[in-house]
Amino acid sequence: MKRTVSFLLTLIMIFTLAGCSESGNSVSDGAEAVIEGERSYDTTGRYLLSLKTNEAVIDDVSFDCYEGANDTNNLVFYEIFVGSFADSDGDKIGDLRGIIEKMDYLNDGDPKSGESLGIEGIWLSPIFKSPSYHKYDVTDYYTIDESFGTMEDLKELVKCCHERGVKIILDLVINHTGAQNEWFAKFQSAHRHEDTSDEYYDFYSYGDSIKQGNRVFYPISSSDDFYEGNFSGDMPELNFDCEAVREAVLDIAKFYLNDVGVDGFRFDAAKYVYYGETASNVDFWNWYMGELKKIKPDIYCVAEVWDSDSLTQEYSAAVNCFDFSMSQADGMIATAAKLGDVNQYNSYVEKYLNVVKSKNPDNTIVPFISNHDMDRAAGYMTLASGYAKTAANLYILGPGSPFIYYGEEIGMKGSRGSSNTDANRRLRMRWREGEMTADPVGATFEDSKQTNGTVLSQFTDGDSLYNYYKRLIMIRKANPEFYKGEYKAIQLPGTKMGCFTMTYNNSTVTVFQNTGIAPVELDLSTVEGINVSKITDYIGIADATLDGTLLTVGEQTTVIMR
Ligand SMILES: [Ca+2]
Ligand SMILES: [Ca+2]
């Protein structure tokens, strides 16, 4: 469906101001192509954008909002840790119906309403029957854990997502199962009886000692054999040399693609399938993705290969992979966001994107700051420092499919801390006082450290991180080149400000990103490889002006030009 009304025009038409507002400063009165921006929010949190240049230019400053949901790659995803997100039945455990109830928060189906975050895809943490709160130890792949709901609830959530143009992918944990899985009971029984003809005898990886190289094995009780369990004794590892196992894991995916209608998967522990054997793993994922693409040609999958780029990129031949080197406190995004050199960041993005494309042109990069296995970003990139916003600028306004970890958009905190528990990284979503799940089992993070408020408190605050994320996603959608375009890093000598272009169908968007705490002036006539005449948007702590060829980008601010 083609949107015919321009993005900008619509926003101006709904210009019914109330509540708080911030406005860009008008600079250089009388100069050609001066830009002035007003960003406002009405009492419901509606985002209003008005960009003004001189009248000769303004007619060109309009956008068709790009509906990226038809893209296989390049969508803005949102990771939901299901048990901590939204509770629908009062037991304080997040569930699938809770997500359905919060769909308007995530995406209300109207790209121009300005009333939802606008994410385009959802990754659900594991939802299959399991004894743990995190559910990475699956008891039964065909049953939704009863604390999360039912298969019918999942189908309704999928329908609800698709009605809004949102993709939904499931966390698929197949390297290992839970110890309570009946497959494991049958495997153990076969070994106790030394019945090598039993169809489950080879179902899991086993050996005759407790340790082989770096692989960890556990004894099978009443047997001389040992089973592989690199993560834990409760997570026995399947044997992918067993044809029946390959069939079983294919059947699971088939069921959720065909019968439930999900759009793809996030593959847990992808490099552990064959422990330490990269070539065998890549072969496996190539085979698996090939089979899944036969079922659903436009499937979107992304794998967890938590390792160095040089290893992870090998898997890019088979499947999209998260870019772990971009994440966490010492990662590429945080480094550049915290007064770092954006030229270096852009060079990295270009180089790594090219590597991924050379491995498989259908795959792309998957930038993110944090996920359920990492300390939350707001702890080391505070809202007060502006880093939370510069980091978001860097990875949301760029190529690939950025993944936002739930609560990142409101600056939720949570770190392992001295109690060394991942539960602290998976705390309850802070909707508002009185409307939150319980924290996961074992969480010790003090509530008083959550100083950035709730969804409710941020909703009507025009300067809030929530409204900032919403605006970033709107800007991304207003520029289809972010989804479809070829990325090119433009080196700017003598400044840490970064520049890149993205070009699609002979249309180019040029982006300048200043993560420093001082404005940067740049004579555009000295920059090779760009061809721009006007600012079409900006987002950041400050604003931007263009006076002739002199571009001034305010502190911690990103500018979009055409
Ligand atoms: Ca519940
Ligand atoms: Ca394994």
Side-chain angles (χ1 to χ4, degrees):
M1 182 172 54
K2 171 89 173 150
R3 297 277 174 178
T4 51
V5 183
S6 83
F7 168 74
L8 186 64
L9 194 61
T10 305
L11 286 165
I12 290 170
M13 281 163 58
I14 57 171
F15 198 80
T16 49
L17 263 190
C20 47
S21 77
E22 57 163 299
S23 87
N25 299 321
S26 175
V27 189
S28 310
D29 283 346
E32 287 297 298
V34 167
I35 184 106
E36 181 182 42
E38 276 188 4
R39 292 177 170 76
S40 315
Y41 302 83
D42 68 14
T43 50
T44 64
R46 183 188 294 261
Y47 170 60
L48 306 168
L49 169 66
S50 170
L51 285 182
K52 294 171 188 165
T53 64
N54 60 48
E55 287 188 14
V57 179
I58 194 162
D59 284 345
D60 294 331
V61 188
S62 64
F63 310 95
D64 288 333
C65 192
Y66 180 65
E67 292 184 73
N70 297 324
D71 261 342
T72 299
N73 287 328
N74 307 315
L75 304 177
V76 180
F77 265 81
Y78 188 87
E79 179 191 359
I80 293 177
F81 197 78
V82 176
S84 297
F85 192 64
D87 172 33
S88 70
D89 59 4
D91 67 357
K92 295 282 178 188
I93 301 171
D95 48 54
L96 298 175
R97 298 210 71 83
I99 300 170
I100 293 170
E101 290 174 3
K102 292 298 183 190
M103 276 305 293
D104 278 353
Y105 171 79
L106 298 169
N107 187 322
D108 63 4
D110 179 357
K112 299 194 194 72
S113 77
E115 291 180 353
S116 71
L117 194 55
I119 53 92
E120 302 162 296
I122 294 172
W123 155 24
L124 295 185
S125 63
I127 55 174
F128 307 146
K129 184 176 170 59
S130 146
S132 66
Y133 81 87
H134 54 71
K135 317 239 171 278
Y136 281 93
D137 48 350
V138 178
T139 301
D140 178 1
Y141 290 93
Y142 294 96
T143 304
I144 305 301
D145 193 89
E146 64 180 359
S147 63
F148 289 175
T150 65
M151 196 64 76
E152 288 311 305
D153 293 338
L154 178 61
K155 287 178 179 173
E156 190 174 329
L157 175 58
V158 169
K159 182 167 170 275
C160 189
C161 285
H162 290 170
E163 284 169 356
R164 295 152 192 259
V166 173
K167 298 212 179 202
I168 179 166
I169 64 172
L170 302 184
D171 206 320
L172 195 55
V173 188
I174 54 172
N175 168 63
H176 50 268
T177 72
Q180 295 181 21
N181 195 299
E182 68 169 10
W183 297 345
F184 189 55
K186 290 174 177 172
F187 160 83
Q188 288 178 298
S189 173
H191 280 260
R192 276 181 207 120
H193 296 102
E194 296 182 15
D195 182 1
T196 55
S197 68
D198 188 301
E199 59 180 319
Y200 285 93
Y201 189 86
D202 288 326
F203 226 68
Y204 289 80
S205 172
Y206 66 91
D208 56 10
S209 64
I210 201 100
K211 203 159 173 71
Q212 296 173 31
N214 290 322
R215 297 155 74 190
V216 180
F217 288 73
Y218 293 84
I220 300 170
S221 61
S222 307
S223 159
D224 294 334
D225 296 333
F226 298 79
Y227 67 90
E228 187 176 3
N230 293 300
F231 291 92
S232 133
D234 291 328
M235 295 179 174
E237 305 208 12
L238 290 166
N239 170 19
F240 288 89
D241 285 333
C242 173
E243 206 47 50
V245 167
R246 291 205 175 208
E247 274 176 38
V249 296
L250 196 50
D251 284 346
I252 297 164
K254 270 183 190 166
F255 172 76
Y256 285 98
L257 291 172
N258 283 336
D259 293 25
V260 180
V262 304
D263 298 286
F265 304 99
R266 176 263 184 187
F267 299 129
D268 183 65
K271 71 169 187 174
Y272 289 90
V273 168
Y274 292 93
Y275 187 97
E277 298 176 41
T278 301
S280 298
N281 288 326
V282 173
D283 280 351
F284 170 80
W285 291 111
N286 255 323
W287 166 77
Y288 198 58
M289 282 304 299
E291 293 298 314
L292 300 193
K293 281 179 179 170
K294 287 180 198 166
I295 302 165
K296 184 174 172 56
D298 66 340
I299 191 171
Y300 176 81
C301 292
V302 55
E304 178 200 33
V305 181
W306 195 341
D307 213 304
S308 64
D309 286 350
S310 58
L311 188 130
T312 303
Q313 69 193 35
E314 298 303 318
Y315 291 75
S316 298
V319 60
N320 293 305
C321 297
F322 288 108
D323 292 326
F324 280 85
S325 59
M326 286 204 188
S327 64
Q328 303 188 89
D330 58 353
M332 298 296 300
I333 295 169
T335 301
K338 294 161 80 169
L339 316 181
D341 189 338
V342 184
N343 282 289
Q344 282 177 10
Y345 176 75
N346 290 349
S347 293
Y348 166 78
V349 168
E350 183 178 63
K351 193 169 153 222
Y352 197 63
L353 183 62
N354 286 341
V355 169
V356 170
K357 292 288 179 192
S358 73
K359 299 283 182 185
N360 186 337
D362 291 338
N363 290 340
T364 191
I365 60 171
V366 185
F368 69 105
I369 306 173
S370 174
N371 70 16
H372 63 283
D373 289 324
M374 298 173 177
D375 288 351
R376 281 190 174 274
Y380 54 86
M381 293 191 290
T382 64
L383 274 61
S385 66
Y387 300 154
K389 291 179 177 174
T390 51
N393 283 7
L394 290 176
Y395 92 98
I396 292 177
L397 292 182
S401 23
F403 271 64
I404 299 167
Y405 184 41
Y406 82 97
E408 180 189 302
E409 75 277 18
I410 56 167
M412 264 173 59
K413 295 179 188 169
S415 55
R416 259 189 173 176
S418 56
S419 53
N420 200 28
T421 173
D422 283 335
N424 284 354
R425 298 161 159 177
R426 306 160 179 178
L427 301 172
R428 55 187 169 177
M429 178 67 173
R430 303 185 66 75
W431 298 106
R432 58 176 171 176
E433 293 306 325
E435 190 197 341
M436 298 185 203
T437 69
D439 281 332
V441 178
T444 58
F445 197 81
E446 290 166 37
D447 222 43
S448 59
K449 293 180 182 167
Q450 300 286 5
T451 52
N452 293 326
T454 62
V455 169
L456 181 66
S457 71
Q458 292 203 16
F459 200 66
T460 50
D461 171 5
D463 288 330
S464 72
L465 191 62
Y466 163 76
N467 276 307
Y468 195 89
Y469 267 73
K470 185 161 73 176
R471 215 186 305 164
L472 265 177
I473 295 171
M474 288 176 94
I475 293 172
R476 187 180 161 99
K477 287 178 175 173
N479 297 276
E481 292 86 351
F482 285 121
Y483 294 81
K484 297 279 198 181
E486 294 260 330
Y487 180 91
K488 192 170 188 310
I490 307 287
Q491 291 299 309
L492 301 178
T495 173
K496 289 180 175 178
M497 182 164 78
C499 176
F500 67 86
T501 61
M502 294 194 78
T503 302
Y504 175 64
N505 268 353
N506 297 319
S507 177
T508 298
V509 63
T510 302
V511 180
F512 293 89
Q513 297 185 300
N514 176 15
T515 61
I517 51 171
V520 174
E521 285 190 350
L522 183 69
D523 183 350
L524 296 178
S525 66
T526 66
V527 181
E528 287 183 24
I530 63 168
N531 180 15
V532 293
S533 61
K534 57 184 176 288
I535 296 171
T536 56
D537 212 338
Y538 62 89
I539 181 164
I541 306 300
D543 58 12
T545 61
L546 180 66
D547 190 352
T549 60
L550 184 66
L551 174 69
T552 305
V553 181
E555 65 271 22
Q556 297 183 312
T557 294
T558 289
V559 176
I560 318 292
M561 297 190 74
R562 286 176 178 275

